[in-house]
Amino acid sequence: MMTAENLWPDVASIRTQLLLTWSPHSDLHNQAYIAAVQATENFLIANGTGVIYTIGPKLFEDVFHVKRRKDMTLAMAIDYTASMTDDIDAVKTKVIELLTNTVGSPNEPADYVLSLFHDPESWNFAYKYVDGYEMINKVQTIEAESGDNTDCDELAAAGMLAAIQLMRDDSPLYVFTDADAKDADRLQEVINAAKAKNISVTSLLTSQCTRRKRSALGRPERSASSLSFFQQIAEATGGSVYETDKENIGNVLDTVIGETFPSSEIIIDSFNLSSAETADQNITVDSTITVLKISVTGSSAETDVDIYYANGTLETYTSGKSTRIYTSSGETIISIQHPPGSIMKLRRNVINDWKVNITAQSSIKIDSELLEHTDTSEMVSLKGSPIMDSNYTVALSVYGFGSNGTCHTIALTDSTGNVISSHEASQLQRDFDTLCAATFRTPYAEFRVKLYGNDDSGRPFTRKLSELYKPASVELIITASTDDVIIGKERLIGYEVKNCGTVTETYQVSISDDHSFVHGSTTVGYTLLSGDGANGTFAVKPTTPSVIFSYTIDVSMVSNGDVQQSITRKLVVTDVERPDCTVVHTDGLCGISSLNTANCSLYPWTALAEVTFSGTLLDSISSTVGMSVKLSHVNITGLSTGPITVNISGDCCTPSLHVNVIDVDGFISQCGLSFGDGQSVQSVEVVSEPSGSSGNDIYTIIIIMTVCVTVVILVVISAFVLRMHQIKSKDELYSSKAVPDNIRKEKFNAEMIYKKQGLSIIEQ
């Protein structure tokens, strides 16, 4: 009987025999494995000859559907003590949003680090993940917990050091806390560790714990030494410190993390679903999408939402390339890497009111612009909100479209995703992008722009623009100059406001700026009839040099407080005053009688202009009519400060002109002069003695005409004399004796005979 002990040797023997039979070179498998790895490495990256080097990383990623991630760590150190209860959900929500935007994108880091710090230090933990989805899942589990110590200060330094130890060089660390640093004595240790790896440390401080604890004790909200702790680390490592709250922490995170890991998300679609709508929703996935993200707000669990592919297959999130999570804010987030190009279906397993937002990472990017139609049939970029029931053209610049990409429809959708109107798109292929455009009439409701087309592979695609347009009944135009503002000098900001609605409205126009440079009144009210407008100005007076400041002019309806128009512009403050030419005096007038070439030179005029400038040199002062007028002023060579006076003189042969003042940097200022009320000089024809070949022709004509006239006169006189002679001869004939006809006839016949014979007749 065969026992187990006897059986195993036989099995081993059989396996060896089979290997030798089926794979006679099995002893070389390990060497083959090592050789294959080396060959792959040589093929990809060997000494400047690998395929990645030859075709470039971008094309390599597109061809092989792989991605080389940024060689850095995205690290976060989060205070999870009880005092963070009010803030932890806001931090988690925003961090998860940023992570789902980053995973699978071109800006994804090589790995992630999460450091959770508390008090005591035994409650501190640090984690490192290569898979971004694992990082998301871990962040999702963070909960604020009470510790043994009830004081406010936490072990922030220990949390930073734990994160730094796991991080790659040249990476950013973001710290979230509401408390002072209990271990601030480790300041230099943190700085040394961070600088050794070139790690920048940025802290986001909410002050909640400090304010609650310290205010109860009658002490300041945050100690100067604690704030100095975070500031000193930031200054030493190239980071920053932001004091914020849970309402605004999302905006701060977008700014600070977006600088290093910018999101390149585009919107595929967004819409609302009421509980009455039960049908599956189609999701158009084109061939350029590398990461698809679906966010559903209003779900109660992650299983409320399912995704089905075009072939009916259910997404099970087991491939390692997709995930589905439910956040504490009541949002289900689904992320799928490299989804197949098709029409996917979103299915609701529990019927509630939902808000769905579908975004993606894609090579197709779109920039949009609304163009307004001017009175001269030109199209210019719209500043502010579009006017209700007016014509505009939406121009979409589509990048990464490919030569075969097409756009066929541009739609306007309302805030819930419903289509308001659809318009056929015109398409123009350009060097670096494709222009898709359509003209539409503005609806009365808020709207977004959505583009439909086919990608380079012929698959359908959709893109929705993020900007929400709010049509207004009032028009705002800023008429102020965009030139630099001089420090210490007042600048007037001009504007025009017009009621484009159908009823009388009262509006409030206000100005604000980010440096408190507004000088004087900041708010003005206007009551305008339909179609009426008004002009006004605000004043700004900069006090800080070498800054760029922004000012915003808003127009709101007094009846409901709604802002109808808002335009923001930027100005540069400088201590260099560029040339400014101003006409200060004129003498003379070019009336109608002087505006002709015959006597315009008899009417002189003079003018006086002032040119102000400082901190720069003038290059030239000239007129647009050259030597037709005379300019006189002091020598401007080496002159760096004005004002200077320019004397200008001329006559009505030049009734209008401009004086150009140019500095050495090419800045130009013009001042205009007009003495003829916009009228131009008329040319008067002057008769003069001809010359040259044209003169000879004229003389010839004159001579011929003179001869003709003379001949006519002579003919007339001759005819008159002849007539008088005939009359006289006739009278003589009738007074003489008559000759019979037969005698005349005979005489005639005789004459004929004699003439024929060569004889002559002698009359007696």
Side-chain angles (χ1 to χ4, degrees):
M1 183 175 181
M2 186 172 289
T3 63
E5 290 78 5
N6 295 329
L7 176 62
W8 286 113
D10 290 340
V11 171
S13 176
I14 292 171
R15 183 193 305 169
T16 302
Q17 187 62 40
L18 288 173
L19 283 173
L20 291 173
T21 302
W22 292 344
S23 182
H25 303 295
S26 58
D27 58 315
L28 300 176
H29 282 182
N30 189 59
Q31 296 179 44
Y33 159 76
I34 295 173
V37 171
Q38 185 61 53
T40 302
E41 182 177 341
N42 291 341
F43 174 74
L44 294 176
I45 58 176
N47 296 331
T49 61
V51 65
I52 295 178
Y53 176 86
T54 303
I55 69 174
K58 179 65 174 65
L59 182 57
F60 175 81
E61 292 167 13
D62 292 342
V63 172
F64 292 95
H65 287 287
V66 296
K67 178 172 54 63
R68 295 196 301 169
R69 291 152 67 165
K70 279 191 172 184
D71 187 20
M72 62 170 55
T73 301
L74 174 54
M76 301 179 184
I78 301 177
D79 174 358
Y80 74 108
T81 56
S83 63
M84 283 284 287
T85 301
D86 294 337
D87 304 322
I88 202 76
D89 284 344
V91 171
K92 286 167 54 178
T93 297
K94 197 61 188 179
V95 167
I96 289 173
E97 179 184 328
L98 288 169
L99 290 174
T100 52
N101 291 346
T102 303
V103 173
S105 75
N107 299 306
E108 183 178 8
D111 48 37
Y112 305 84
V113 167
L114 175 63
S115 174
L116 302 176
F117 61 91
H118 208 287
D119 183 17
E121 191 169 354
S122 59
W123 286 39
N124 288 11
F125 304 96
Y127 309 91
K128 183 175 182 178
Y129 302 101
V130 174
D131 189 338
Y133 292 139
E134 292 184 11
M135 176 72 167
I136 293 171
N137 291 333
K138 186 61 184 178
V139 170
Q140 180 67 10
T141 65
I142 300 174
E143 298 291 342
E145 297 184 16
S146 299
D148 296 336
N149 297 325
T150 58
D151 59 338
C152 185
D153 300 354
E154 310 301 348
L155 299 172
M160 295 182 196
L161 289 167
I164 292 170
Q165 185 178 358
L166 298 177
M167 293 171 64
R168 295 169 180 255
D169 293 356
D170 306 311
S171 300
L173 169 60
Y174 304 100
V175 181
F176 303 87
T177 183
D178 67 344
D180 296 341
K182 188 173 186 177
D183 49 356
D185 57 324
R186 303 182 71 177
L187 169 68
Q188 196 58 49
E189 185 180 352
V190 174
I191 291 175
N192 292 342
K195 292 180 72 173
K197 287 189 168 184
N198 193 30
I199 289 172
S200 62
V201 181
T202 294
S203 298
L204 291 85
L205 314 177
T206 61
S207 302
Q208 293 290 334
C209 172
T210 306
R211 178 167 60 250
R212 181 169 57 252
K213 296 284 181 101
R214 294 185 180 278
S215 295
L217 298 173
R219 284 182 282 176
E221 291 187 0
R222 184 178 293 281
S223 66
S225 61
S226 176
L227 194 57
S228 176
F229 168 80
F230 294 106
Q231 287 177 336
Q232 287 184 64
I233 292 175
E235 291 173 1
T237 62
S240 302
V241 175
Y242 297 88
E243 290 194 87
T244 183
D245 52 40
K246 66 178 181 180
E247 285 77 20
N248 296 301
I249 196 168
N251 295 331
V252 176
L253 274 174
D254 283 339
T255 300
V256 297
I257 297 183
E259 292 175 354
T260 307
F261 301 98
S263 172
S264 55
E265 271 195 324
I266 48 90
I267 301 174
I268 301 298
D269 204 356
S270 61
F271 50 85
N272 292 357
L273 291 176
S274 70
S275 56
E277 300 174 88
T278 59
D280 293 347
Q281 299 297 312
N282 289 340
I283 301 174
T284 303
V285 182
D286 59 80
S287 60
T288 69
I289 292 177
T290 56
V291 181
L292 181 69
K293 177 181 171 182
I294 304 166
S295 169
V296 177
T297 302
S299 57
S300 55
E302 66 179 52
T303 53
D304 289 358
V305 187
D306 274 331
I307 293 295
Y308 286 85
Y309 293 97
N311 60 5
T313 303
L314 172 67
E315 172 59 62
T316 58
Y317 311 102
T318 57
S319 64
K321 296 296 183 182
S322 60
T323 187
R324 179 178 60 181
I325 62 174
Y326 182 75
T327 70
S328 56
S329 60
E331 181 181 21
T332 297
I333 299 176
I334 296 172
S335 178
I336 303 173
Q337 296 188 44
H338 296 292
S342 61
I343 304 296
M344 301 170 65
K345 291 188 178 295
L346 173 69
R347 180 167 298 174
R348 294 195 288 176
N349 299 321
V350 176
I351 305 302
N352 292 318
D353 290 339
W354 279 6
K355 189 173 185 178
V356 181
N357 193 45
I358 304 168
T359 58
Q361 304 285 343
S362 167
S363 59
I364 295 180
K365 313 292 182 185
I366 300 178
D367 288 336
S368 67
E369 185 178 28
L370 276 192
L371 304 176
E372 59 181 332
H373 301 186
T374 68
D375 295 337
T376 58
S377 300
E378 295 178 320
M379 290 190 291
V380 297
S381 179
L382 173 67
K383 305 299 182 185
S385 300
I387 305 301
M388 295 176 181
D389 198 32
S390 299
N391 286 331
Y392 293 91
T393 295
V394 58
L396 305 179
S397 297
V398 185
Y399 300 91
F401 210 16
S403 58
N404 296 319
T406 58
C407 49
H408 51 72
T409 303
I410 294 177
L412 307 184
T413 68
D414 63 20
S415 57
T416 63
N418 296 316
V419 174
I420 300 173
S421 60
S422 295
H423 310 272
E424 183 179 356
S426 57
Q427 180 172 334
L428 175 64
Q429 189 75 36
R430 301 188 291 198
D431 290 340
F432 302 105
D433 66 351
T434 299
L435 175 64
C436 301
T439 298
F440 64 92
R441 197 158 190 85
T442 317
Y444 289 90
E446 299 175 344
F447 67 91
R448 284 189 170 92
V449 176
K450 185 176 181 181
L451 175 64
Y452 298 84
N454 295 89
D455 64 19
D456 200 38
S457 301
R459 291 196 177 101
F461 84 93
T462 63
R463 295 291 185 272
K464 180 175 280 191
L465 283 301
S466 60
E467 185 169 1
L468 179 64
Y469 293 100
K470 299 181 179 181
S473 62
V474 60
E475 183 179 21
L476 172 65
I477 300 174
I478 295 180
T479 58
S481 169
T482 57
D483 293 342
D484 295 351
V485 185
I486 311 302
I487 184 172
K489 286 196 172 185
E490 187 176 272
R491 164 75 68 83
L492 293 180
I493 307 294
Y495 64 86
E496 298 176 4
V497 60
K498 180 182 179 181
N499 181 3
C500 298
T502 57
V503 297
T504 301
E505 290 284 0
T506 299
Y507 301 102
Q508 179 174 284
V509 183
S510 59
I511 187 172
S512 60
D513 75 285
D514 57 358
H515 278 71
S516 301
F517 289 162
V518 175
H519 190 62
S521 175
T522 60
T523 303
V524 182
Y526 299 97
T527 298
L528 301 176
L529 300 175
S530 175
D532 282 356
N535 300 329
T537 59
F538 292 111
V540 294
K541 189 175 182 179
T543 56
T544 306
S546 303
V547 299
I548 299 176
F549 80 97
S550 300
Y551 70 87
T552 301
I553 296 182
D554 296 323
V555 181
S556 58
M557 296 178 66
V558 173
S559 59
N560 55 22
D562 288 346
V563 175
Q564 293 281 299
Q565 292 283 6
S566 182
I567 298 179
T568 298
R569 286 191 176 174
K570 296 181 182 294
L571 290 175
V572 177
V573 180
T574 179
D575 54 1
V576 176
E577 183 180 1
R578 297 299 175 182
D580 184 24
C581 179
T582 306
V583 176
V584 295
H585 177 73
T586 60
D587 184 21
L589 183 66
C590 295
I592 296 297
S593 59
S594 67
L595 294 174
N596 62 79
T597 54
N599 59 358
C600 59
S601 61
L602 303 177
Y603 295 85
W605 53 255
T606 60
L608 198 66
E610 183 180 77
V611 179
T612 58
F613 63 99
S614 65
T616 185
L617 300 176
L618 298 184
D619 179 71
S620 65
I621 300 176
S622 61
S623 76
T624 54
V625 293
M627 302 299 292
S628 298
V629 300
K630 181 180 179 182
L631 304 180
S632 62
H633 50 77
V634 300
N635 186 0
I636 61 175
T637 303
L639 194 62
S640 61
T641 303
I644 64 172
T645 300
V646 181
N647 293 291
I648 313 159
S649 59
D651 55 45
C652 287
C653 294
T654 310
S656 62
L657 70 147
H658 283 87
V659 175
N660 297 328
V661 183
I662 307 175
D663 70 5
V664 292
D665 295 320
F667 286 85
I668 302 175
S669 177
Q670 283 190 329
C671 49
L673 290 168
S674 180
F675 295 92
D677 195 26
Q679 300 294 319
S680 59
V681 177
Q682 301 299 314
S683 178
V684 177
E685 183 178 354
V686 179
V687 178
S688 60
E689 182 178 347
S691 61
S693 60
S694 297
N696 292 335
D697 292 340
I698 293 174
Y699 277 125
T700 301
I701 293 172
I702 292 174
I703 292 171
I704 292 173
M705 292 181 65
T706 302
V707 171
C708 291
V709 171
T710 303
V711 170
V712 170
I713 293 173
L714 292 175
V715 170
V716 171
I717 294 173
S718 300
F720 177 75
V721 172
L722 180 61
R723 179 62 177 165
M724 294 302 294
H725 177 73
Q726 288 177 343
I727 292 173
K728 183 178 180 181
S729 298
K730 185 176 180 180
D731 292 339
E732 291 176 351
L733 177 62
Y734 281 112
S735 59
S736 64
K737 185 178 180 178
V739 179
D741 288 341
N742 60 334
I743 294 176
R744 289 195 204 127
K745 184 175 181 182
E746 290 173 357
K747 184 178 180 180
F748 174 77
N749 293 334
E751 289 175 354
M752 293 298 294
I753 293 170
Y754 278 89
K755 185 180 291 184
K756 191 172 184 179
Q757 294 177 355
L759 300 176
S760 61
I761 297 176
I762 300 175
E763 293 184 354
Q764 294 181 354

